[in-house]
Amino acid sequence: MPPKPKLNVHSFPRPPLLEKTPRHLQIKWHGQTIADTKDAYWALETTHPPTYYLSPSSVTAPLSRSTHSSFCEWKGRATYWILKHDNEEIANRIWSYESPTKGFESLKGYLSFYAGPWDCYVDGEKVEPQPGDFYGGWVTSDIEGRVKGGPGTWGW
């Protein structure tokens, strides 16, 4: 199979572009698959690796709503979730937009996972988390350009 074309984060738009992605997304925790789908969106925003939003039907572990929320200037108020699996509970590492703003309505109910504590995969490739602990992008080998999130990038 030919290599994937490179995606330069500095060519991504602002405001972000939201579109369906044909990529195969998987999330595994302690060796068990807790999400597996090709029904997903990606948001592409300047200086960020893609943020993926998975169909809620692709998640097999039980979720409950957290009291935590945040606000995105583009997508609106984010709802956070608690995942329970194998007697473990992980809070606020999954989010969704239950009432997304104009232009992002198709995201309603789709779930985005930070790349940890579980392992996330795009087309079989294990991803690296976007630097820092604020943004939820997934870095794969086809991503190039300096990514926002690490030291010295806050004001970009």
Side-chain angles (χ1 to χ4, degrees), residues 65-102:
R65 188 175 280 206
S66 167
T67 58
H68 182 68
S69 69
S70 64
F71 185 78
C72 171
E73 66 182 310
W74 308 114
K75 297 179 257 352
R77 173 101 15 229
T79 299
Y80 286 78
W81 299 91
I82 300 166
L83 183 139
K84 294 180 182 178
H85 185 70
D86 286 345
N87 298 317
E88 288 186 72
E89 188 173 284
I90 304 295
N92 305 327
R93 302 295 292 167
I94 303 167
W95 74 95
S96 65
Y97 295 94
E98 299 306 301
S99 298
T101 57
K102 185 177 179 183

Side-chain angles (χ1 to χ4, degrees), residues 53-141:
Y53 294 86
L54 290 70
S55 163
S57 64
S58 72
V59 180
T60 59
L63 299 177
S64 59
R65 188 175 280 206
S66 167
T67 58
H68 182 68
S69 69
S70 64
F71 185 78
C72 171
E73 66 182 310
W74 308 114
K75 297 179 257 352
R77 173 101 15 229
T79 299
Y80 286 78
W81 299 91
I82 300 166
L83 183 139
K84 294 180 182 178
H85 185 70
D86 286 345
N87 298 317
E88 288 186 72
E89 188 173 284
I90 304 295
N92 305 327
R93 302 295 292 167
I94 303 167
W95 74 95
S96 65
Y97 295 94
E98 299 306 301
S99 298
T101 57
K102 185 177 179 183
F104 294 91
E105 299 93 343
S106 53
L107 270 187
K108 182 177 179 158
Y110 274 65
L111 299 160
S112 191
F113 287 68
Y114 282 97
W118 31 72
D119 296 324
C120 302
Y121 297 85
V122 175
D123 293 335
E125 178 185 349
K126 185 177 176 186
V127 308
E128 293 295 325
Q130 184 169 1
D133 198 39
F134 184 75
Y135 302 107
W138 293 8
V139 180
T140 50
S141 61

Side-chain angles (χ1 to χ4, degrees), residues 13-24:
R14 185 167 171 87
L17 170 69
L18 178 70
E19 63 184 10
K20 284 291 237 180
T21 178
R23 293 180 170 204
H24 182 199

Side-chain angles (χ1 to χ4, degrees), residues 25-78:
L25 308 178
Q26 295 177 300
I27 300 173
K28 298 178 181 183
W29 197 20
H30 301 305
Q32 295 181 341
T33 300
I34 60 171
D36 190 335
T37 192
K38 288 186 176 181
D39 179 12
Y41 289 90
W42 66 1
L44 305 177
E45 181 177 356
T46 305
T47 70
H48 295 267
T51 302
Y52 292 93
Y53 294 86
L54 290 70
S55 163
S57 64
S58 72
V59 180
T60 59
L63 299 177
S64 59
R65 188 175 280 206
S66 167
T67 58
H68 182 68
S69 69
S70 64
F71 185 78
C72 171
E73 66 182 310
W74 308 114
K75 297 179 257 352
R77 173 101 15 229

